[in-house]
Amino acid sequence: MKNALPTVAVAAALCCTAFVPSAFAQEAKITPVAQFEEDSGAQERINFSGKLRMLSQRIPSAACHLAAGVEVEASKKLLMGASAEFSKIVNALQFGDPELNITGAEERRKTVAKIDELRVAWVPMKKAADAMLAGDTSDAQLKPILDANMGVLKHAAELVSVIVGQYSNPNELVQADSMLIDLAGRQRMLTQKMSKESCMVATGYGTADTVEALNGTVTTFDTSLSALTSGMPALGIRRPPSAGIEAGLVEVAKHWNKAKPMLEQIAAGSALNADDDAKKFTELNVTMKTMNEVVGMYAKALKKEG
């Protein structure tokens, strides 16, 4: 991976975040501004609402791979876990959940309205995911998931933005640090979006638009990873603030560089063999897991600096 990219290329990648509002950069640990917020599980509300974005893409990725017979047991396990967790988080955000340390029901009408909008968008995905987990992996069940997932992602991102604005301290992080966490946090979701798009293209569920989307997601992830790793002062992106983050990004790059050529091969119209298809699926999931750990390190390091 090159250490330097044209500033205009990075700027283009950074601007392509219509489905990822900058506010949810602060989904990681942020100190609440009032005792009421602390008592209601403010940090947990932010953390768990942020996870909904990634889950909105993990579900269609797992469903597509399950329908295609790729890593069947792993795909089914991921689909089951992601679907159950999505529902649990949505319920917790609205009604509270002591198990997630979210105390009491949400009382702000604007936030409840956003949760309700997300629920409506989530219904067809959940119904189809349940049917697939019950054994029906036909197109009739996969299609509603593929049709609905981007709408669910949009509503999830809007909900995170509302919750962050409601429960976090806007003075906790300066704008430049928020952008760093935003950029790092977005990467997790993009791994699952690429996994979904590559599966759709490889199995014939996608279209020319899906190929274009896959190429765009690959470019965005790759460019953003370069910016995080090497810094881009012209855009206010500094180098990793700790040795642990730097090492974590190296580990992310290791797994990403294994997955990227296979994604490019699919986008170019060449099919992967069964082993490589399974490897691509696995490497993207490992990339997501490692990136998630890096986001936690960013939040801890930048909060300490502040």
Side-chain angles (χ1 to χ4, degrees):
M1 182 175 60
K2 295 180 180 179
N3 286 333
L5 289 171
T7 301
V8 67
V10 180
L14 290 177
C15 79
C16 299
T17 58
F19 47 83
V20 192
S22 61
F24 68 61
Q26 299 180 51
E27 70 184 67
K29 294 181 179 179
I30 300 174
T31 302
V33 297
Q35 186 62 41
F36 169 77
E37 293 175 353
E38 183 71 44
D39 291 343
S40 65
Q43 293 186 34
E44 287 75 12
R45 288 179 187 272
I46 294 169
N47 290 338
F48 284 111
S49 64
K51 198 170 186 181
L52 292 173
R53 298 183 321 278
M54 183 276 289
L55 293 172
S56 77
Q57 297 303 289
R58 169 160 276 193
I59 291 165
S61 170
C64 182
H65 285 91
L66 177 60
V70 177
E71 293 290 279
V72 172
E73 289 304 314
S75 298
K76 187 173 184 179
K77 183 177 180 180
L78 284 175
L79 178 59
M80 181 182 296
S83 181
E85 188 170 16
F86 194 100
S87 291
K88 183 177 179 65
I89 291 172
V90 172
N91 286 332
L93 292 174
Q94 185 161 7
F95 305 114
D97 187 334
E99 187 176 318
L100 299 184
N101 199 30
I102 296 176
T103 305
E106 178 59 59
E107 297 181 353
R108 187 178 182 227
R109 284 187 295 178
K110 181 179 179 180
T111 306
V112 173
K114 286 296 182 184
I115 294 173
D116 287 340
E117 290 173 5
L118 178 59
R119 283 188 187 279
V120 171
W122 164 237
V123 167
M125 277 184 69
K126 183 182 187 306
K127 182 178 178 181
D130 288 345
M132 292 190 75
L133 290 170
D136 182 359
T137 58
S138 66
D139 288 356
Q141 303 305 335
L142 179 59
K143 188 175 185 301
I145 296 176
L146 298 182
D147 288 346
N149 77 92
M150 289 304 291
V152 172
L153 174 57
K154 175 179 177 291
H155 285 294
E158 290 174 354
L159 175 60
V160 176
S161 182
V162 168
I163 287 178
V164 167
Q166 178 180 354
Y167 286 98
S168 68
N169 183 349
N171 298 317
E172 182 77 15
L173 296 173
V174 298
Q175 184 177 359
D177 289 347
S178 293
M179 185 168 69
L180 270 179
I181 299 177
D182 186 4
L183 198 60
R186 182 181 63 171
Q187 296 289 80
R188 296 173 299 183
M189 181 275 292
L190 291 178
T191 65
Q192 300 306 292
K193 188 169 182 283
M194 286 185 285
S195 185
K196 173 200 71 178
E197 290 164 347
S198 62
C199 180
M200 290 174 66
V201 172
T203 56
Y205 294 116
T207 64
D209 288 342
T210 314
V211 175
E212 183 178 357
L214 174 59
N215 281 321
T217 312
V218 169
T219 298
T220 299
F221 185 95
D222 200 41
T223 304
S224 299
L225 183 58
S226 293
L228 287 168
T229 301
S230 302
M232 182 64 66
L235 296 177
I237 302 171
R238 57 175 165 136
R239 290 181 58 83
S242 74
I245 291 173
E246 186 170 8
L249 289 170
V250 169
E251 186 69 13
V252 169
K254 182 179 76 174
H255 293 288
W256 167 237
N257 287 331
K258 293 177 182 178
K260 182 184 174 184
M262 293 183 281
L263 294 170
E264 293 174 332
Q265 181 177 332
I266 292 171
S270 299
L272 299 178
N273 60 42
D275 287 343
D276 283 345
D277 213 5
K279 182 180 178 183
K280 175 216 68 175
F281 181 61
T282 300
E283 289 295 344
L284 284 172
N285 285 325
V286 175
T287 302
M288 191 281 293
K289 180 178 181 295
T290 309
M291 197 68 228
N292 186 57
E293 294 169 354
V294 171
V295 173
M297 288 190 282
Y298 263 114
K300 183 177 180 180
L302 295 176
K303 182 179 176 182
K304 184 179 296 185
E305 289 181 5

